[in-house]
Amino acid sequence: MLCTDLRGSAMNDKTRILICDDETHILHVVGLNLRSAGYEPVLAANGEQALEAVAQSPPALCVIDHQMPGMTGSELCRRLRAFPGLEATPIVMLTAADFRMPRPGDGDEQLSAVVGKPFSPKALIELIQSLLAPSRIGEDQ
């Protein structure tokens, strides 16, 4: 159930954002908010779908749920980091157990940010915008 049309994505210049969560309503809400903010959301309901989408076209940023059946968000994060070109791609972890997750700077440099559920979609978009700001990704240097 890959919830976006990947075929047409290469034809526009919108920034691709991968969202991986097993909760359909979160995919829907975050996807709508990203599209409204001018991004191209690529939605995946599990880790395998996320890896398939990344193999087709790498995203500029990933937002992944920690607690998913099959492949956890931590495992998906490790596997995303193994993709050539994704070593420094920002990854935001969504989790209902955010207090258990290592924070960026606490020895786990795999993650750019950890966001606890429930979360504000507006705040998530603002975080994504800040992580993709040119000064953060070296475009203005």
Side-chain angles (χ1 to χ4, degrees), residues 22-98:
D22 61 319
E23 296 182 52
T24 306
H25 68 282
I26 290 179
L27 289 175
H28 180 73
V29 169
V30 175
L32 285 175
N33 279 273
L34 284 169
R35 189 166 277 111
S36 292
Y39 296 104
E40 179 189 348
V42 177
L43 309 178
N46 59 51
E48 290 301 324
Q49 289 178 4
L51 293 172
E52 289 172 19
V54 167
Q56 289 183 16
S57 182
L61 183 141
C62 303
V63 178
I64 56 179
D65 184 24
H66 181 258
Q67 296 175 323
M68 294 185 291
M71 184 186 309
T72 68
S74 295
E75 175 62 22
L76 177 57
C77 183
R78 282 189 293 277
R79 292 184 66 183
L80 288 171
R81 289 288 182 231
F83 269 85
L86 290 185
E87 301 87 357
T89 298
I91 296 178
V92 175
M93 184 73 72
L94 296 178
T95 180
D98 65 321

Side-chain angles (χ1 to χ4, degrees), residues 12 29 40 55 57 70 91 97 103 112 116 124 126 128 131 133 135-136 139:
N12 65 48
V29 169
E40 179 189 348
S57 182
I91 296 178
R103 301 288 179 184
S112 302
L124 180 61
E126 290 171 357
I128 289 168
L131 290 170
S135 62
R136 292 286 308 227
E139 291 179 1

